[in-house]
Amino acid sequence: NTMLTIRKLDKSNQTFWQGKLSMLADSLVIPADGFEFKLQIGANSPPFSLRSRYNVMARDLEKRYCSGKTIIRDAMRIEDGSGNAPYAALSDCQWLIKAKSGKAIRIQFSSLDIDAQTDKVYLFYGDTTTQTNLLVTLSGSEIPPAYRIEDGDALLWFLSDQSGEAQGFRAEIDWIAEP
């Protein structure tokens, strides 16, 4: 016998829904930036009110796991960021691995599952994506051998389109003594 009134908290201040609580749909879309719920539990009981205001922000889904350029100065694992989920469509992520004096950068992939038709992991010598500095393009699921970059920075760049996603990649980054 509980009655519910949902009222918009906007200029109109209109009642959006009113009726028995048991008749309320499982989900509602309330086109307003705030609302008031008013419950009346019995004919003689005073109504109970709850007011709420909220904002909804659009989320850029292609940046939900990784985005932009990350500078790497210490040994660590880098990955597409999706964990056990497929990586995001339209990913565009870069990791700039900074050189250390007297040491070579070593990049060892421990997993690789990239859509072989369209998505790529690029490895460049230096800090830019200049075609002449491209060392290797990776795609598919075959784990490559370790890469060793001497006398300079390295840039790892992950790009995906929106046609299909896979599990992504993980790579260990560390520095080893140069020969």
Side-chain angles (χ1 to χ4, degrees):
N1 209 9
T2 301
M3 298 298 289
L4 173 66
T5 302
I6 302 174
R7 187 172 56 88
K8 293 181 179 183
L9 294 179
D10 60 10
K11 292 178 186 176
S12 72
N13 214 19
Q14 75 184 55
T15 297
F16 179 75
W17 190 88
Q18 186 171 19
K20 289 184 179 181
L21 182 59
S22 61
M23 300 303 292
L24 183 65
D26 288 340
S27 65
L28 289 175
V29 175
I30 303 170
D33 66 356
F35 53 88
E36 175 185 43
F37 288 107
K38 187 179 279 187
L39 285 172
Q40 187 157 6
I41 299 182
N44 297 327
S45 67
F48 168 78
S49 291
L50 169 69
R51 290 179 174 219
S52 177
R53 290 205 179 272
Y54 58 91
N55 290 318
V56 176
M57 297 177 61
R59 185 164 180 194
D60 194 353
L61 292 179
E62 55 264 11
K63 293 184 172 110
R64 68 180 174 247
Y65 298 130
C66 66
S67 64
K69 185 183 282 187
T70 301
I71 308 294
I72 307 294
R73 297 182 192 279
D74 296 307
M76 68 181 302
R77 173 185 290 164
I78 61 173
E79 55 186 53
D80 63 271
S82 63
N84 292 329
Y87 54 80
L90 302 174
S91 290
D92 183 355
C93 317
Q94 295 182 8
W95 294 267
L96 176 59
I97 306 154
K98 300 300 284 180
K100 293 185 178 188
S101 179
K103 301 215 173 193
I105 298 168
R106 181 173 51 190
I107 302 170
Q108 175 67 61
F109 285 84
S110 57
S111 68
L112 183 68
D113 183 19
I114 304 294
D115 183 345
Q117 300 302 313
T118 57
D119 303 337
K120 308 286 184 221
V121 174
Y122 301 97
L123 179 58
F124 295 89
Y125 177 79
D127 60 0
T128 65
T129 57
T130 307
Q131 183 69 28
T132 57
N133 290 348
L134 181 62
L135 298 173
V136 67
T137 301
L138 302 172
S139 199
S141 59
E142 186 175 326
I143 296 176
Y147 296 100
R148 181 183 178 122
I149 293 93
E150 298 176 1
D151 300 325
D153 298 339
L155 181 68
L156 198 69
W157 186 19
F158 173 54
L159 284 174
S160 69
D161 72 356
Q162 55 191 10
S163 67
E165 290 74 48
Q167 290 303 305
F169 71 92
R170 285 185 190 86
E172 302 295 329
I173 308 298
D174 62 358
W175 287 260
I176 55 177
E178 290 184 358

